[in-house]
Amino acid sequence: MPQVVVDVVLKPEISDPQGQAVLGALGRLGHDSIRSVRQGKHFVLEVDGTPDEAELKQIAETLLANPVIEDVELHLPTD
């Protein structure tokens, strides 16, 4: 059964307080080489048949993400 991965992250111009909190914790733990953290959501969808990219994009942008403040990246299976 094909799996489609949808990654959702805040747009770069949107403040990411969770990412900033993680970045601060990493610095306190001595991981000074990390310069930026963006927090997001990761969805794995199992689909019947061949994935329909247009349908999956619509699902991602209307249900899984808020397109006003979040970017969506689809990862379709390769044959």
Side-chain angles (χ1 to χ4, degrees), residues 18-65:
Q18 286 181 297
Q20 289 298 311
V22 171
L23 181 62
L26 288 168
R28 288 189 298 278
L29 292 171
H31 302 287
D32 298 325
S33 64
I34 308 300
R35 295 287 169 230
S36 177
V37 176
R38 300 293 288 177
Q39 181 269 337
K41 299 178 275 190
H42 179 85
F43 298 92
V44 178
L45 309 174
E46 291 186 352
V47 297
D48 288 328
T50 303
D52 181 332
E53 185 173 357
E55 178 185 23
L56 291 163
K57 185 174 173 77
Q58 180 185 21
I59 290 168
E61 291 178 348
T62 59
L63 179 64
L64 304 180

